[in-house]
Amino acid sequence: MSIDTSSDVVSGSAAGLRGRLWQLTAAELRAAAIEASAEILRLEAVRVAVVDELAMRPDDQVIASRGVGAWLAANTMLQVRDGKKIAALGAALRPFPAVAAGFDVGDCSFDHAVLIVAFCESPPKGMPEEALPRCIDLLLAAASGIEATTTKVRHVIATLERVFESDEIPPAEDVDRNELRIASTLNGRVVVRSDFDALTGEMLLSALSNLTMPTPAPDGTPDARSAAKRTADGFTELIRRYLDCAKTGTDGGQRPHVNVHINARDLAEHRDCAAAPSHGEESPSDLDVGHMPWLGPLSVSQTRLLGCDCFLSTVLLDDHGAPLDAKPGKRLVNAEQRVALIARDKGCAFPGCSCVPAWTDAHHIRHWANGGPTVMNNLVLLCRSHHRLMHRKSGFVGKWAIRIGVDNKPWFIPPPSIDPQRHPRPANTTFKT
């Protein structure tokens, strides 16, 4: 049996498929993967709609199962908690037809629809009711398209909470919800379950970051440990160092600590100064919130609280929000330049990469050996993977180009094999600010 097109792959059975995929070109395989993903989104929306209708018109089987979510789990390979999440989303979408419509046509994933309806059900106390439709439009715009990420949606939510500030503590910052459960098992092991606020999570991830990175063997063999195993090993080492008088290593050239980025105007002590536009009408992306490299948005009130007792680094920015240059004379990036790069790139700048600053290197766009200076307009943060691709990957060097645009921020120009027109792509920083 042969395969004619990528559509045949998506419409057919997966049984025996692996042995026939060799017939497709790389372009056809990419098309099949994209088409299958779109089909999954479509079927996810169909399932939510059907389950919700069944919830409103339950029959004896559903009633006997104590709810449509449990019934769905009992008749599929889903877990009960997943069946209940599907049923809960269907019910939550009923009062918000605009969100339901976006989800139904595939413009919004399941997880992003859950985030959006959660915001709609519990909007900021300071938000007037008539502002909800505009907020929904902004959230759906952030959740749609191939560039949609959970961080992007959460950033818009945090910004809206910033615009309509109230005295209510956001769930991500409510320390009263923090829990840490440690229990021993019958075979002598220990199980740890926790639920932390964003700041505590940021401290934990910052402390673990240098201890959980993949470590190749002396002969260059890649680290064979899973991410979960590396995290467990890192946590063990963190405890050992604490017990040995809290010894710490370095993380991306800096000692592990919590970094929070925010515009000086938004950090201003007086609320009126922070909330008022500086000139003209500003979009939500212009109204900044605090940002942590690991866990993203942080409310202005919490950022101001941290600002009362912190080491403050000032980075001067131009009109486009790009850091101004400093101390270009050496090959190695100094501490001040790295702070400025983190403020500009927020992590790996390669399009589509979400690697945090701690796991990035400063890459010379024009190599130092070829006369490239160590200045901001010749530097970009890249994760180890993308850094190796730019330097050493066979057949890769020269295919992607990096240019600093008129906004003094890096732009990536893909090879013709990816985009025949080679349209420049912005760095992956839009919703990391």
Side-chain angles (χ1 to χ4, degrees), residues 25-271:
T25 65
E28 289 171 330
L29 289 171
R30 292 197 307 271
I34 293 172
E35 191 174 338
S37 299
E39 185 69 2
I40 289 171
L41 283 178
R42 185 186 71 82
L43 291 174
E44 189 79 81
V46 169
R47 181 168 62 180
V48 169
V50 171
V51 168
D52 187 46
E53 184 66 22
L54 190 56
M56 293 187 289
R57 295 192 289 119
D59 61 4
D60 291 345
Q61 290 192 39
V62 173
I63 295 172
S65 297
R66 299 176 63 184
V68 68
W71 169 86
L72 182 63
N75 290 274
T76 64
M77 289 189 286
L78 291 172
Q79 299 298 308
V80 173
R81 64 177 181 273
D82 296 323
K84 289 183 176 181
K85 283 177 62 177
I86 292 168
L89 177 59
L93 287 171
R94 294 176 204 163
F96 309 108
V99 183
F103 177 62
D104 291 344
V105 299
D107 286 343
C108 177
S109 71
F110 184 98
D111 290 337
H112 293 164
V114 170
L115 280 175
I116 294 173
V117 294
F119 173 86
C120 295
E121 290 175 334
S122 301
K125 288 185 177 180
M127 189 182 83
E129 191 172 328
E130 58 270 19
L132 183 59
R134 175 57 179 159
C135 293
I136 290 176
D137 290 342
L138 291 170
L139 289 165
L140 287 174
S144 65
I146 60 174
E147 295 181 353
T149 63
T150 300
T151 300
K152 185 176 177 180
V153 177
R154 285 186 58 234
H155 174 85
V156 175
I157 290 174
T159 302
L160 292 174
E161 290 172 343
R162 155 83 171 88
V163 173
F164 303 107
E165 276 188 289
S166 69
D167 295 332
E168 185 178 5
I169 301 175
E173 298 170 13
D174 189 353
V175 297
D176 290 337
R177 300 188 183 191
N178 288 2
E179 293 182 342
L180 176 63
R181 302 179 186 274
I182 304 176
S184 59
T185 64
L186 292 177
N187 63 357
R189 297 184 63 81
V190 173
V191 175
V192 180
R193 298 184 62 182
S194 63
D195 180 9
F196 291 131
D197 64 285
L199 180 58
T200 302
E202 183 75 12
M203 290 189 290
L204 178 61
L205 292 172
S206 296
L208 286 172
S209 62
N210 186 60
L211 304 175
T212 57
M213 293 178 64
T215 305
D219 62 357
T221 305
D223 195 332
R225 296 176 299 168
S226 66
K229 182 65 169 69
R230 294 200 312 270
T231 302
D233 291 346
F235 191 67
T236 301
E237 179 64 19
L238 183 66
I239 297 172
R240 181 180 295 114
R241 292 187 182 189
Y242 174 78
L243 295 176
D244 291 340
C245 303
K247 296 177 182 177
T248 60
T250 59
D251 187 3
Q254 298 174 324
R255 292 171 65 83
H257 56 281
V258 172
N259 284 290
V260 179
H261 300 140
I262 191 168
N263 288 340
R265 184 171 64 87
D266 290 321
L267 190 59
E269 183 66 29
H270 298 293
R271 183 169 173 176

